[in-house]
């Protein structure tokens, strides 16, 4: 049975927001505590040489020029904020301040630096004389990421990197809610925040594959082609920001140089700057991290990878036909619980509903004066389940979860075989099945529940240890 949409209860959503805010405050408190008690492993975080280009060209228009500035009025606070900018934050703040100066900086996509720059030039601009420009940039980054974390928690309840998580999870919520246009916009923005955002096109491909299959079975080839073309167009839109950024890098680094002066990647048949940077500067590649000296990093990543693998194996063992058929052999009842992924009618009605919703809402509110009981009887058939309703009704083993499982499996395999494996926790943290599976274990009887408590204990230890080591520039991620 397909039920009508309903929003989460306001009090439950308020609890989610309060919990997210409380977790951020706790984490910031721990970071301040550990920064007070422990000296940073790497003290170079506060170094800030002048920008290479004091007057950025139009493509760098979002960057701050770096003229000689007066000393800040509150140097102690300025130094504290600047020294707290560590790891990838150093690159993001530098890009926001100076633009893309070096080849390796193109590994960091522009959405977060652009947001940092905009906030520092507007809301926090009066603080520049007080704590200095770089400290304001760092403060802007903290505010953006923490606000994005709270909103991403709300979206996750309703159905990087906090900014990536916000647009990724928010985009998936809108996709599962049948709002394709909004979903594409959000997922495209996730690709502006992190390169793995382009993998979110996989959800669109999964949906398109099943809808086209239904159209073919019903001998409607024209509709099947429309579905395929629509899915391809939405996927291209999700890829577009990443592709545009690669073209931007090619324009800045490769054009205007003689062949013997070009960087090696400029001469490639498909000149992908991002892949070259990851391989050349950080040694990223298939099995390149499989070295004995990297064993501690594999141990560091083992809890999150084990949880991901266990969640996939549990799904495959419990629903092998559904899993190995990619959902094609799921029951009709199961497919109805995820109608937005499998039902042509539900998608067509959802699209029509969203087009007419805004224009008709005021008319219905102002002119429909029929008695309430009569109105309820004449309501149109319901369309789609809300994501949180689908999970509540069908559980972790629902076909609704399958595309998320496949997406997480690809990401986990990439993290283990290709990437620096120690970033797996951060890389997989925006995968919803991890949290759904942990909740599934907690609701299961016997030994499964004990595993759930172990996951809780690991999460608490990770927060405590991570806030200590990561904020002090120790090798932990």
């Amino acid at each position: 049975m397909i039920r009508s949409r309903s929003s989460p209860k306001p009090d439950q959503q308020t609890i989610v927001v309060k919990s997210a805010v409380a977790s951020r405050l706790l984490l910031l408190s721990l970071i301040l505590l550990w920064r007070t008690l422990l000296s940073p492993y790497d003290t170079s975080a506060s170094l800030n040489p002048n920008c290479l280009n004091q007057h950025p060209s139009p493509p760098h228009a979002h960057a701050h020029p770096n003229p000689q500035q007066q000393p800040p009025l509150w140097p102690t606070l300025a130094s504290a904020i600047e020294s707290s900018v560590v790891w990838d934050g150093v690159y993001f703040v530098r890009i926001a301040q100076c633009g893309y100066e070096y080849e390796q900086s193109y590994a960091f996509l522009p959405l977060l630096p652009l947001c940092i720059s905009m906030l520092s030039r507007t809301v926090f601009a009066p603080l520049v004389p007080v704590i200095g420009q770089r400290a304001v940039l760092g403060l802007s980054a903290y505010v953006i990421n923490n606000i994005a974390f709270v909103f991403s928690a709300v979206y996750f309840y309703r159905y990087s990197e906090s900014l990536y998580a916000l647009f990724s999870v928010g985009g998936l919520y809108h996709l599962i809610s049948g709002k394709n246009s909004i979903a594409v916009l959000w997922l495209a923005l996730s690709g502006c925040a992190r390169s793995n955002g382009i993998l979110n096109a996989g959800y669109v491909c999964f949906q398109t594959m099943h809808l086209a299959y239904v159209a073919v079975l019903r001998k409607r080839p024209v509709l099947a082609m429309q579905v395929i073309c629509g899915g391809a167009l939405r996927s291209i839109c999700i890829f577009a920001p990443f592709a545009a950024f690669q073209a931007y890098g090619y324009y800045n680094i490769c054009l205007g140089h003689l062949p013997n002066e070009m960087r090696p990647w400029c001469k490639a048949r498909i000149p992908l700057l991002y892949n070259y940077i990851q391989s050349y500067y950080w040694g990223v590649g298939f099995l390149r991290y499989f070295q004995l000296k990297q064993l501690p990093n594999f141990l560091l990543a083992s809890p999150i990878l084990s949880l991901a693998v266990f969640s996939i194996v549990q799904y495959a063992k419990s629903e092998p036909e559904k899993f190995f058929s990619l959902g094609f052999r799921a029951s009709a009842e199961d497919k109805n619980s995820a109608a937005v992924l499998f039902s042509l009618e539900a998608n067509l009605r959802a699209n029509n509903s969203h087009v007419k919703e805004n224009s008709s809402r005021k008319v219905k509110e102002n002119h429909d004066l029929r008695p309430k009981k009569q109105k309820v009887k004449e309501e149109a058939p319901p369309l789609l389940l809300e994501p949180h309703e689908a999970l509540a009704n069908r559980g972790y083993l629902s076909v609704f979860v399958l595309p998320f499982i496949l997406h997480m499996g690809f990401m986990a395999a990439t993290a283990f075989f290709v990437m620096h494996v120690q970033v797996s926790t951060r890389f997989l943290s925006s995968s919803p099945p991890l949290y759904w599976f942990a909740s599934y274990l907690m609701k299961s009887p016997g030994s499964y529940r004990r595993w759930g408590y172990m996951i809780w204990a690991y999460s608490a230890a990770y927060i405590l240890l991570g806030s200590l080591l990561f904020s002090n520039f120790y090798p932990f991620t």
Side-chain angles (χ1 to χ4, degrees):
M1 179 179 179
I2 305 176
R3 299 183 180 177
S4 58
R5 293 190 199 88
S6 62
S7 297
K9 294 180 181 179
D11 57 337
Q12 293 176 329
Q13 188 161 302
T14 300
I15 292 173
V16 172
V17 173
K18 289 182 177 179
S19 300
V21 172
S23 70
R24 294 289 91 185
L25 294 176
L26 173 61
L27 182 61
L28 290 174
S29 300
L30 288 171
I31 289 175
L32 290 174
L33 174 63
W34 299 137
R35 295 282 300 186
T36 303
L37 299 178
L38 191 66
S39 298
Y41 174 77
D42 188 337
T43 58
S44 64
S46 59
L47 297 179
N48 186 35
N50 291 334
C51 296
L52 294 182
N53 188 356
Q54 296 291 345
H55 301 287
S57 58
H60 296 81
H62 68 273
H64 284 266
N66 192 28
Q68 295 295 327
Q69 297 179 350
Q70 297 295 325
L73 299 177
W74 197 343
T76 304
L77 180 59
S79 176
I81 295 175
E82 289 189 38
S83 62
S84 69
V85 178
V86 296
W87 296 109
D88 289 1
V90 175
Y91 285 94
F92 284 119
V93 168
R94 180 71 180 183
I95 294 167
Q97 182 179 8
C98 301
Y100 287 88
E101 301 175 291
Y102 305 100
E103 186 176 65
Q104 62 265 38
S105 64
Y106 285 85
F108 302 89
L109 274 71
L111 183 59
L112 181 56
L114 181 61
C115 293
I116 293 172
S117 180
M118 290 176 61
L119 190 62
S120 67
R121 288 172 176 270
T122 54
V123 178
F124 292 145
L127 295 179
V128 172
V130 181
I131 57 177
Q133 181 188 24
R134 190 166 185 266
V136 167
L137 291 168
L139 180 63
S140 301
Y142 274 111
V143 170
I144 290 168
N145 278 306
N146 283 284
I147 291 176
F149 176 87
V150 173
F151 279 102
S152 63
V154 173
Y155 270 107
F156 184 75
Y157 165 74
R158 297 181 67 180
Y159 98 117
S160 76
E161 292 98 7
S162 299
L163 196 62
Y164 166 75
L166 169 62
F167 289 116
S168 179
V169 177
L172 295 180
Y173 170 80
H174 289 299
L175 178 67
I176 299 303
S177 299
K179 303 174 184 177
N180 288 333
S181 299
I182 300 176
V184 167
L185 174 61
W186 283 64
L187 294 178
L189 287 173
S190 76
C192 263
R194 279 288 178 181
S195 60
N196 47 301
I198 63 176
L199 298 179
N200 289 322
Y203 294 102
V204 175
C205 294
F206 183 91
Q207 181 193 48
T208 302
M209 175 178 67
H210 281 277
L211 296 181
Y213 175 74
V214 173
V216 170
L217 285 182
R218 296 180 182 179
K219 299 181 179 179
R220 300 177 65 181
V222 175
L223 180 58
M225 286 304 301
Q226 289 176 344
V227 169
I228 293 171
C229 291
L233 181 60
R234 287 185 287 151
S235 298
I236 290 172
C237 289
I238 294 172
F239 273 90
F242 180 79
F245 185 66
Q246 300 308 297
Y248 172 70
Y250 185 88
Y251 173 84
N252 283 340
I253 297 176
C254 300
L255 291 186
H257 294 278
L258 297 174
N260 61 339
E261 297 175 343
M262 287 185 178
R263 301 290 292 156
W265 68 271
C266 295
K267 306 173 187 177
R269 179 173 299 178
I270 302 178
L272 282 178
L273 172 57
Y274 184 83
N275 289 1
Y276 175 79
I277 292 171
Q278 292 289 342
S279 175
Y280 182 79
Y281 290 99
W282 286 290
V284 173
F286 184 65
L287 299 183
R288 290 178 66 179
Y289 219 58
F290 278 59
Q291 306 172 36
L292 186 61
K293 65 180 181 180
Q294 301 297 347
L295 181 60
N297 286 324
F298 278 89
L299 293 176
L300 181 64
S302 60
I304 193 70
L305 290 175
S306 299
L307 179 61
V309 171
F310 189 31
S311 65
I312 296 170
V313 170
Q314 180 68 18
Y315 190 97
K317 284 178 59 179
S318 302
E319 301 287 346
E321 191 172 31
K322 188 188 304 179
F323 179 81
F324 291 106
S325 71
L326 301 182
F328 283 104
R329 303 188 68 177
S331 66
E333 181 185 4
D334 209 3
K335 288 183 178 181
N336 284 340
S337 71
V340 72
L341 298 175
F342 299 96
S343 171
L344 279 170
E345 290 79 7
N347 276 271
L348 292 173
R349 285 184 293 175
N351 289 334
N352 292 335
S353 173
H354 293 310
V355 168
K356 296 177 181 178
E357 185 175 2
N358 291 333
S359 61
S360 63
R361 183 180 298 135
K362 291 183 179 180
V363 175
K364 289 182 178 180
E365 290 177 356
N366 296 333
H367 300 290
D368 192 350
L369 303 177
R370 290 173 294 175
K372 186 175 182 181
K373 290 184 179 179
Q374 181 183 353
K375 182 179 176 181
V376 170
K377 290 181 181 179
E378 296 180 7
E379 282 182 348
L383 300 177
L384 303 171
L385 279 169
E386 283 283 329
H388 67 282
E389 288 184 89
L391 276 176
N393 291 346
R394 303 295 300 168
Y396 178 74
L397 301 178
S398 164
V399 74
F400 171 86
V401 178
L402 180 58
F404 297 90
I405 289 285
L406 298 174
H407 179 268
M408 183 179 67
F410 182 84
M411 292 182 66
T414 302
F416 184 74
F417 290 109
V418 179
M419 298 170 53
H420 290 185
V421 72
Q422 68 267 30
V423 305
S424 298
T425 303
R426 180 159 53 91
F427 186 62
L428 296 173
S429 62
S430 59
S431 295
L434 290 176
Y435 309 99
W436 292 336
F437 183 66
S439 300
Y440 169 77
L441 291 179
M442 290 302 301
K443 295 182 67 176
S444 301
S447 60
Y448 281 161
R449 180 168 294 185
R450 289 195 291 272
W451 279 105
Y453 285 122
M454 290 181 63
I455 293 172
W456 278 14
Y458 163 75
S459 300
Y462 187 89
I463 291 173
L464 291 172
L465 190 60
S467 62
L468 167 64
L469 298 178
F470 187 87
S471 62
N472 283 290
F473 231 138
Y474 283 83
F476 186 93
T477 184

